[in-house]
Amino acid sequence: RDLHSFPTRRSSDLAPLILFATDAAGQITLSVGKGLAALGRKDGDLVGHAIQDLYHDAPAVLDGMHRALAGEQVTRRVDTGTITFETICTPLHAADGTISGLIGVAVDITERQRAETALRESEARFATAFRASPVAISVTQIADGRFLDVNEAFTTLLGYQREEIVGGLSGDLGIWNAAERARVIQTLQD
């Protein structure tokens, strides 16, 4: 089936991705998608070019292409310096079973990667503040009051070791009565 007959237009125009294909020699035969704009390219700009020539300074791209053309499905992240793509390349097989090229998709994950980094940094700041706080702090599950974590000030206040508290229920330590716990949960949920 001809690659150009696939219904690529709608998804490739809406999502930050690039759909691409090559022949067995690594010559690009398909290059479409909104993700091309981030590279300063348009649909079809790369058709007819050899991947080896375009990405001679990107060994990870060339390695992925060579592995896909050798019959392996390859998934990897490719960082251009300003944009990060998650790329999947799969070999294309001719009717006789030989590898006739590859087909791939590259999804721009730059924003997701930035969000993941920001989340890790935020979690690290929270963990530092949580551990260093002179105020007794605990993190529990709302459903059953199970302790997920406590800081040193909390263990000092109650006179327990962290290992004795985490995993246990707040009711078992006699910290809350059921009515007071229900009132606090209601306040938090409002």
Side-chain angles (χ1 to χ4, degrees):
R1 187 169 167 189
D2 180 14
L3 285 176
H4 298 282
S5 67
F6 281 101
T8 60
R9 300 308 315 157
R10 175 166 284 146
S11 60
S12 64
D13 286 344
L14 299 176
L17 58 83
I18 302 169
L19 299 174
F20 60 93
T22 74
D23 61 19
Q27 191 94 356
I28 297 172
T29 59
L30 174 70
S31 175
V32 297
K34 184 177 175 184
L36 286 166
L39 299 173
R41 301 288 188 158
K42 298 183 303 194
D43 286 356
D45 275 1
L46 302 176
V47 171
H49 294 276
I51 286 185
Q52 297 90 327
D53 295 339
L54 292 171
Y55 298 103
H56 63 276
D57 58 346
V61 173
L62 296 178
D63 176 64
M65 181 205 68
H66 290 301
R67 289 172 48 197
L69 289 173
E72 182 181 345
Q73 180 171 319
V74 180
T75 302
R76 64 173 23 132
R77 286 188 176 188
V78 177
D79 190 346
T80 69
T82 57
I83 303 164
T84 303
F85 289 98
E86 188 163 78
T87 305
I88 301 171
C89 296
T90 302
L92 285 174
H93 296 275
D96 65 2
T98 61
I99 295 173
S100 61
L102 66 82
I103 187 165
V105 61
V107 180
D108 183 345
I109 61 166
T110 308
E111 288 306 314
R112 183 178 86 195
Q113 196 169 30
R114 286 183 188 140
E116 289 169 356
T117 299
L119 178 60
R120 279 192 305 275
E121 290 170 355
S122 176
E123 288 172 343
R125 285 190 303 274
F126 171 79
T128 299
F130 178 80
R131 298 267 176 251
S133 176
V135 175
I137 303 173
S138 67
V139 178
T140 61
Q141 292 178 338
I142 288 180
D144 60 5
R146 186 168 310 280
F147 287 101
L148 303 175
D149 205 354
V150 296
N151 69 356
E152 187 177 343
F154 192 88
T155 61
T156 300
L157 178 68
L158 293 180
Y160 289 98
Q161 295 296 312
R162 182 178 181 280
E163 296 76 26
E164 296 175 282
I165 300 172
V166 173
L169 300 175
S170 59
D172 294 346
L173 294 178
I175 297 171
W176 298 99
N177 67 45
E180 186 178 354
R181 183 174 183 281
R183 183 186 57 76
V184 170
I185 290 171
Q186 185 61 45
T187 300
L188 291 172
Q189 291 176 336
D190 290 344

